[in-house]
Amino acid sequence: MAYNPTGLAAYTKQNVDLLVKNSVFEARTQKEILASGNVLVGVKSSEAIGRMDTDVFFQDDSACGFNASGTTTFTQRVLTVGKVKVNEILCDKDLENYYTQQALRAGGQYESLAFAADYSEQKAKKIAEALEVALWTANSTGSAGTNGLGNKFDGIKTIITAAGGVVANANTTGFYGTPATTINTPAIAKNAVLAVIKALPAKIQGKSDVRIFCGWGTFAYLIQAYVDQNLFHYAPDAKWDDDNAAFTVPGTNYKVIPVHGLDAADADACIYAFRMSNIFMGTDLLDEENKFWIRWSDDDENIKFTARMKVGVQLAFPDEVVKFEA
């Protein structure tokens, strides 16, 4: 006689304290804007970004007299925030029939959330992931998308498109040559970034806060272009991760920063450049996207998650922006 285990399901050891999490990323774009200090707090719906410009006219000073000349102009750009929230119901009774029951308290009334720390951390990261994409691609007149955030405000890419011809186009004969239809080789990526630098308006050339943004696919091609030339000393400026990756274009002080917000199939073939002093982010409460509530509800005996925020972006001077759209 011998054991006959064919009627049993194969056993897999499951550790209730170890939950495998999805690979998520935080909002790099948001961090860059926060670092620049251009965050408008207390925005309930919209706020004007004031702009002032003045010209200068030099006159002959060989005789006495005062002749007024020159004009100082005030204009504004309006930053409108999207008002969004996240609601989820969590019923821990749903965990009773699985290995997750090991994390439940004794008794049948679960007023505190199992895996609360893991859940909170992962939810915050997922919110940051969605914000990163929306900060670039959201369109208030477009589709809500799979997560509902796609049409709550206008992202940077949408704002640049709406600005039209005032934005310098680097994907033209004068800067790039025959316009590119995609960015799918190291050579194209390298030449596209160089074209963006050539197209920078003279008044922002050499400014220390100019940043060039692209998706991670384009960034990888860019690095490969210099590796293929055996220029291994031109490596990314920091560790190759979401928070720090950057590449200073050789011979310049311009940094290329990869952002996941431009990874999507319709956006990865895009490169944008502007001064960080030109981009503004608006919110009602600083770091609001990381503030949420998990509470027990007596009326329906559920645990409820709520997160709410107001967020939006705006460019003060679209004529100081460069785009390369393949």
Side-chain angles (χ1 to χ4, degrees):
M1 299 294 292
Y3 289 121
N4 182 2
T6 56
L8 300 178
Y11 174 71
T12 301
K13 183 179 180 181
Q14 302 185 73
N15 187 345
V16 72
D17 295 322
L18 180 62
L19 296 179
V20 179
K21 302 173 185 177
N22 294 330
S23 176
V24 295
F25 46 84
E26 296 182 336
R28 175 73 185 273
T29 306
Q30 180 178 337
K31 289 182 178 180
E32 293 293 326
I33 298 174
L34 287 171
S36 72
N38 283 355
V39 179
L40 306 178
V41 181
V43 182
K44 296 291 186 182
S45 59
S46 62
E47 183 165 328
I49 301 172
R51 307 184 303 176
M52 183 186 73
D53 196 14
T54 187
D55 58 13
V56 177
F57 183 78
F58 292 92
Q59 304 177 29
D60 176 50
D61 193 30
S62 59
C64 296
F66 185 91
N67 298 301
S69 61
T71 303
T72 297
T73 305
F74 292 91
T75 57
Q76 62 184 25
R77 298 267 296 173
V78 176
L79 188 158
T80 301
V81 297
K83 305 174 184 181
V84 297
K85 66 177 180 177
V86 178
N87 290 156
E88 184 176 359
I89 286 180
L90 303 158
C91 177
D92 276 11
K93 285 184 178 292
D94 295 337
L95 305 178
E96 290 183 334
N97 294 333
Y98 307 96
Y99 81 97
T100 47
Q101 65 180 274
Q102 299 173 49
L104 299 177
R105 59 180 294 179
Q109 182 165 316
Y110 307 120
E111 298 182 6
S112 59
L113 180 65
F115 309 109
D118 289 303
Y119 172 84
S120 300
E121 178 185 359
Q122 188 72 349
K123 184 65 77 171
K125 288 182 177 180
K126 284 292 187 178
I127 290 173
E129 174 184 344
L131 274 177
E132 170 65 18
V133 175
L135 284 173
W136 283 97
T137 63
N139 188 330
S140 59
T141 61
S143 168
T146 57
N147 62 14
L149 190 57
N151 63 356
K152 299 303 184 289
F153 60 95
D154 285 334
I156 301 169
K157 188 174 183 291
T158 303
I159 293 169
I160 290 173
T161 299
V166 302
V167 175
N169 183 7
N171 191 16
T172 58
T173 303
F175 299 113
Y176 181 80
T178 302
T181 57
T182 186
I183 302 177
N184 60 359
T185 69
I188 295 176
K190 177 184 177 182
N191 290 330
V193 169
L194 293 177
V196 167
I197 293 173
K198 292 177 185 176
L200 288 170
K203 59 186 174 182
I204 69 170
Q205 285 275 1
K207 299 297 184 183
S208 61
D209 65 339
V210 170
R211 296 292 182 270
I212 302 171
F213 292 93
C214 65
W216 273 85
T218 297
F219 187 73
Y221 281 129
L222 177 65
I223 300 302
Q224 189 64 44
Y226 288 92
V227 172
D228 288 345
Q229 293 181 301
N230 291 322
L231 300 176
F232 294 100
H233 56 293
Y234 289 123
D237 301 340
K239 291 186 291 185
W240 189 285
D241 59 36
D242 292 342
D243 294 326
N244 301 298
F247 177 74
T248 300
V249 179
T252 78
N253 66 339
Y254 300 126
K255 287 189 176 182
V256 181
I257 295 177
V259 291
H260 287 294
L262 292 175
D263 281 347
D266 64 337
D268 191 38
C270 300
I271 303 173
Y272 300 101
F274 46 80
R275 297 184 67 185
M276 293 310 299
S277 56
N278 191 17
I279 183 77
F280 290 80
M281 179 177 173
T283 185
D284 190 9
L285 181 65
L286 193 61
D287 205 27
E288 189 176 17
E289 75 281 0
N290 289 325
K291 294 178 172 63
F292 44 78
W293 298 264
I294 300 176
R295 64 192 186 281
W296 165 259
S297 177
D298 284 319
D299 57 347
D300 57 7
E301 298 185 330
N302 278 308
I303 296 173
K304 297 181 178 179
F305 170 90
T306 298
R308 52 169 41 95
M309 69 202 76
K310 299 180 180 68
V311 61
V313 288
Q314 185 58 276
L315 289 159
F317 299 97
D319 60 336
E320 296 183 4
V321 177
V322 178
K323 67 179 181 180
F324 188 103
E325 296 176 345

